[in-house]
Amino acid sequence: MMQGLTVKKTMEQESRGEKGVGTRERILNAALSLFNETGPDRVTTAQIARTVGINEGNLYYHFKTKEALLTALFERLEGDATHFMTQANVGPAEAGIYSQFLRRWFSIVWAHRYMFRDLPGIIAIAPSLIEPIRALSLGMRLVVQDNLRQMRQAHLIDIPDEEVPQLLANVWIVSTYWAAYLNLQEGIEELTPENLEWGLNQVASLFRPYLSQEAKKELQAMLNQTSAQ
Protein backbone atom coordinates (compact mmCIF):
# COMPACT_ATOMS: atom_id res chain seq x y z
CA MET A 1 0.00 0.00 0.00
CA MET A 2 2.79 2.39 1.00
CA GLN A 3 4.65 1.61 -2.20
CA GLY A 4 1.54 2.44 -4.27
CA LEU A 5 1.15 5.75 -2.46
CA THR A 6 4.82 6.54 -3.02
CA VAL A 7 4.53 5.86 -6.77
CA LYS A 8 1.41 8.02 -7.00
CA LYS A 9 3.12 10.82 -5.06
CA THR A 10 6.15 10.62 -7.34
CA MET A 11 3.95 10.85 -10.44
CA GLU A 12 2.08 13.81 -9.01
CA GLN A 13 5.39 15.53 -8.30
CA GLU A 14 6.55 14.83 -11.85
CA SER A 15 3.23 16.09 -13.20
CA ARG A 16 4.23 19.59 -12.16
CA GLY A 17 7.05 19.29 -14.69
CA GLU A 18 9.60 21.89 -15.69
CA LYS A 19 8.90 25.62 -15.67
CA GLY A 20 5.47 25.10 -14.15
CA VAL A 21 4.16 22.95 -17.00
CA GLY A 22 2.74 19.69 -15.69
CA THR A 23 3.42 16.30 -17.21
CA ARG A 24 -0.16 16.00 -18.41
CA GLU A 25 0.12 19.21 -20.41
CA ARG A 26 3.54 18.24 -21.75
CA ILE A 27 2.07 14.93 -22.92
CA LEU A 28 -0.73 16.79 -24.69
CA ASN A 29 1.70 19.26 -26.25
CA ALA A 30 3.93 16.46 -27.52
CA ALA A 31 0.99 14.42 -28.80
CA LEU A 32 -0.46 17.42 -30.62
CA SER A 33 2.86 18.11 -32.33
CA LEU A 34 3.39 14.46 -33.31
CA PHE A 35 -0.20 13.97 -34.44
CA ASN A 36 -0.03 17.11 -36.57
CA GLU A 37 3.18 15.85 -38.11
CA THR A 38 2.32 12.24 -38.92
CA GLY A 39 -1.20 11.41 -37.69
CA PRO A 40 -2.54 9.67 -34.54
CA ASP A 41 -2.57 6.21 -36.10
CA ARG A 42 1.17 6.38 -36.81
CA VAL A 43 2.25 7.72 -33.43
CA THR A 44 2.81 5.27 -30.58
CA THR A 45 2.50 5.98 -26.89
CA ALA A 46 6.17 5.01 -26.57
CA GLN A 47 7.07 7.74 -29.04
CA ILE A 48 5.03 10.31 -27.13
CA ALA A 49 6.64 9.26 -23.86
CA ARG A 50 10.15 9.58 -25.34
CA THR A 51 9.34 13.04 -26.66
CA VAL A 52 8.15 14.15 -23.23
CA GLY A 53 11.08 12.44 -21.49
CA ILE A 54 9.01 10.10 -19.32
CA ASN A 55 8.33 6.37 -19.27
CA GLU A 56 5.16 4.85 -20.68
CA GLY A 57 3.91 4.01 -17.20
CA ASN A 58 3.79 7.71 -16.37
CA LEU A 59 1.97 8.42 -19.62
CA TYR A 60 -0.59 5.72 -18.83
CA TYR A 61 -1.05 7.23 -15.38
CA HIS A 62 -2.40 10.35 -17.08
CA PHE A 63 -4.00 8.74 -20.16
CA LYS A 64 -4.89 5.08 -19.92
CA THR A 65 -5.71 4.80 -23.64
CA LYS A 66 -5.02 6.65 -26.86
CA GLU A 67 -8.76 7.39 -26.96
CA ALA A 68 -8.44 9.24 -23.65
CA LEU A 69 -5.51 11.20 -25.09
CA LEU A 70 -7.48 12.11 -28.23
CA THR A 71 -10.45 13.12 -26.10
CA ALA A 72 -8.31 15.50 -24.07
CA LEU A 73 -6.84 16.99 -27.26
CA PHE A 74 -10.33 17.40 -28.71
CA GLU A 75 -11.27 19.35 -25.59
CA ARG A 76 -8.49 21.78 -26.50
CA LEU A 77 -9.92 22.15 -30.00
CA GLU A 78 -13.38 22.55 -28.50
CA GLY A 79 -12.11 25.29 -26.21
CA ASP A 80 -10.45 27.17 -29.08
CA ALA A 81 -13.56 26.79 -31.24
CA THR A 82 -15.87 27.92 -28.43
CA HIS A 83 -13.77 31.05 -27.89
CA PHE A 84 -13.84 31.67 -31.64
CA MET A 85 -17.62 31.24 -31.79
CA THR A 86 -18.06 33.63 -28.85
CA GLN A 87 -15.92 36.30 -30.49
CA ALA A 88 -16.92 35.70 -34.12
CA ASN A 89 -19.77 38.19 -34.27
CA VAL A 90 -18.47 40.79 -31.85
CA GLY A 91 -18.46 44.24 -33.40
CA PRO A 92 -20.28 45.85 -36.32
CA ALA A 93 -20.57 44.16 -39.70
CA GLU A 94 -18.05 45.63 -42.12
CA ALA A 95 -16.34 44.71 -45.37
CA GLY A 96 -13.58 42.77 -43.62
CA ILE A 97 -15.86 40.64 -41.42
CA TYR A 98 -15.77 37.63 -43.74
CA SER A 99 -12.02 37.68 -44.33
CA GLN A 100 -11.34 38.09 -40.60
CA PHE A 101 -13.74 35.25 -39.85
CA LEU A 102 -11.94 32.93 -42.27
CA ARG A 103 -8.47 33.85 -41.05
CA ARG A 104 -9.36 33.20 -37.40
CA TRP A 105 -11.05 29.88 -38.17
CA PHE A 106 -8.19 28.64 -40.31
CA SER A 107 -5.68 29.49 -37.58
CA ILE A 108 -7.61 27.02 -35.40
CA VAL A 109 -7.70 24.45 -38.20
CA TRP A 110 -3.93 24.77 -38.60
CA ALA A 111 -3.25 24.38 -34.87
CA HIS A 112 -5.35 21.17 -34.80
CA ARG A 113 -4.80 20.05 -38.38
CA TYR A 114 -4.47 16.35 -37.46
CA MET A 115 -8.18 16.36 -36.53
CA PHE A 116 -9.25 17.63 -39.94
CA ARG A 117 -6.75 15.62 -41.98
CA ASP A 118 -7.17 12.27 -40.20
CA LEU A 119 -10.79 12.39 -39.03
CA PRO A 120 -11.82 8.87 -40.23
CA GLY A 121 -8.83 7.29 -38.46
CA ILE A 122 -9.49 9.32 -35.32
CA ILE A 123 -13.09 8.12 -35.15
CA ALA A 124 -11.84 4.54 -35.48
CA ILE A 125 -9.54 5.05 -32.47
CA ALA A 126 -11.94 7.21 -30.45
CA PRO A 127 -15.59 6.49 -31.40
CA SER A 128 -16.68 8.38 -28.29
CA LEU A 129 -15.79 11.59 -30.15
CA ILE A 130 -18.53 11.17 -32.74
CA GLU A 131 -21.19 13.08 -30.79
CA PRO A 132 -18.86 15.87 -29.56
CA ILE A 133 -17.64 16.39 -33.14
CA ARG A 134 -21.24 16.58 -34.36
CA ALA A 135 -22.05 19.12 -31.64
CA LEU A 136 -19.05 21.23 -32.60
CA SER A 137 -20.08 21.00 -36.25
CA LEU A 138 -23.58 22.24 -35.44
CA GLY A 139 -22.23 25.12 -33.36
CA MET A 140 -19.89 26.24 -36.12
CA ARG A 141 -22.64 26.07 -38.76
CA LEU A 142 -24.82 28.30 -36.59
CA VAL A 143 -21.97 30.81 -36.26
CA VAL A 144 -21.45 30.86 -40.03
CA GLN A 145 -25.19 31.32 -40.50
CA ASP A 146 -25.25 34.29 -38.12
CA ASN A 147 -22.14 35.72 -39.78
CA LEU A 148 -23.88 35.45 -43.13
CA ARG A 149 -26.99 37.15 -41.74
CA GLN A 150 -24.92 40.12 -40.56
CA MET A 151 -23.23 40.41 -43.93
CA ARG A 152 -26.59 40.38 -45.73
CA GLN A 153 -27.96 43.08 -43.43
CA ALA A 154 -24.89 45.22 -44.14
CA HIS A 155 -25.28 44.62 -47.90
CA LEU A 156 -21.86 43.00 -48.06
CA ILE A 157 -23.26 39.87 -49.65
CA ASP A 158 -26.20 39.26 -51.96
CA ILE A 159 -27.50 35.70 -52.03
CA PRO A 160 -31.00 34.35 -52.73
CA ASP A 161 -32.72 32.82 -49.70
CA GLU A 162 -33.05 29.43 -51.39
CA GLU A 163 -29.26 29.21 -51.89
CA VAL A 164 -28.32 29.96 -48.28
CA PRO A 165 -28.70 26.39 -46.88
CA GLN A 166 -26.58 24.94 -49.68
CA LEU A 167 -23.88 27.57 -49.18
CA LEU A 168 -23.79 26.97 -45.43
CA ALA A 169 -23.47 23.21 -45.93
CA ASN A 170 -20.73 23.59 -48.53
CA VAL A 171 -18.76 26.04 -46.40
CA TRP A 172 -18.72 23.59 -43.50
CA ILE A 173 -17.89 20.61 -45.70
CA VAL A 174 -14.98 22.33 -47.43
CA SER A 175 -13.60 24.09 -44.32
CA THR A 176 -13.70 20.82 -42.38
CA TYR A 177 -12.63 18.25 -44.96
CA TRP A 178 -10.23 20.05 -47.28
CA ALA A 179 -7.28 18.57 -45.36
CA ALA A 180 -8.75 15.06 -45.59
CA TYR A 181 -9.21 15.59 -49.33
CA LEU A 182 -5.55 16.48 -49.79
CA ASN A 183 -4.56 13.44 -47.76
CA LEU A 184 -6.86 10.91 -49.45
CA GLN A 185 -6.98 12.25 -53.01
CA GLU A 186 -3.60 13.92 -53.45
CA GLY A 187 -1.52 11.73 -51.12
CA ILE A 188 -0.38 14.71 -49.04
CA GLU A 189 0.38 13.36 -45.57
CA GLU A 190 2.11 16.37 -44.01
CA LEU A 191 0.33 19.66 -44.48
CA THR A 192 2.32 22.80 -45.18
CA PRO A 193 1.39 26.50 -44.97
CA GLU A 194 0.89 26.35 -48.74
CA ASN A 195 -1.73 23.64 -48.25
CA LEU A 196 -3.43 25.82 -45.63
CA GLU A 197 -3.53 28.67 -48.15
CA TRP A 198 -5.07 26.29 -50.69
CA GLY A 199 -7.81 25.31 -48.26
CA LEU A 200 -8.47 28.94 -47.38
CA ASN A 201 -8.87 29.77 -51.07
CA GLN A 202 -11.29 26.87 -51.57
CA VAL A 203 -13.59 28.17 -48.84
CA ALA A 204 -13.23 31.77 -50.00
CA SER A 205 -14.29 30.75 -53.51
CA LEU A 206 -17.67 29.61 -52.17
CA PHE A 207 -18.52 33.10 -50.96
CA ARG A 208 -16.78 35.17 -53.64
CA PRO A 209 -19.61 35.14 -56.25
CA TYR A 210 -22.02 36.65 -53.73
CA LEU A 211 -19.77 39.33 -52.19
CA SER A 212 -20.03 43.04 -52.78
CA GLN A 213 -17.09 44.68 -54.54
CA GLU A 214 -15.92 46.18 -51.25
CA ALA A 215 -16.05 42.80 -49.50
CA LYS A 216 -14.21 41.15 -52.42
CA LYS A 217 -11.38 43.66 -52.08
CA GLU A 218 -11.08 42.97 -48.36
CA LEU A 219 -11.10 39.22 -49.00
CA GLN A 220 -8.39 39.44 -51.67
CA ALA A 221 -6.27 41.61 -49.41
CA MET A 222 -6.50 38.97 -46.68
CA LEU A 223 -5.57 36.20 -49.12
CA ASN A 224 -2.63 38.23 -50.43
CA GLN A 225 -1.46 38.82 -46.86
CA THR A 226 -1.69 35.11 -46.09
CA SER A 227 0.32 34.24 -49.22
CA ALA A 228 3.06 36.66 -48.27
CA GLN A 229 3.53 35.23 -44.77
Side-chain angles (χ1 to χ4, degrees), residues 95-100 102-103 151 197 200-209 211-229:
I97 185 174
Y98 169 59
S99 58
Q100 293 167 11
L102 277 183
R103 184 166 52 188
M151 292 178 69
E197 181 185 342
L200 187 56
N201 271 281
Q202 299 307 306
V203 177
S205 69
L206 297 172
F207 276 89
R208 191 178 282 110
L211 296 176
S212 68
Q213 288 302 314
E214 184 182 7
K216 285 181 181 178
K217 289 180 181 178
E218 288 287 343
L219 174 62
Q220 192 58 50
M222 183 274 290
L223 294 173
N224 292 341
Q225 180 183 4
T226 303
S227 300
Q229 291 177 347

Side-chain angles (χ1 to χ4, degrees), residues 139-198:
M140 279 301 305
R141 278 182 287 177
L142 291 175
V143 168
V144 174
Q145 183 175 349
D146 195 50
N147 192 264
L148 183 60
R149 177 187 57 78
Q150 290 187 56
M151 292 178 69
R152 295 178 79 185
Q153 290 176 347
H155 304 291
L156 298 172
I157 191 169
D158 183 15
I159 178 173
D161 289 341
E162 63 271 16
E163 294 184 25
V164 170
Q166 183 180 27
L167 176 62
L168 290 172
N170 287 340
V171 166
W172 180 248
I173 290 169
V174 176
S175 64
T176 304
Y177 297 108
W178 64 271
Y181 168 84
L182 289 178
N183 178 238
L184 295 173
Q185 299 297 322
E186 304 295 332
I188 296 174
E189 298 183 353
E190 184 175 349
L191 296 176
T192 66
E194 288 74 21
N195 299 137
L196 181 70
E197 181 185 342
W198 181 88

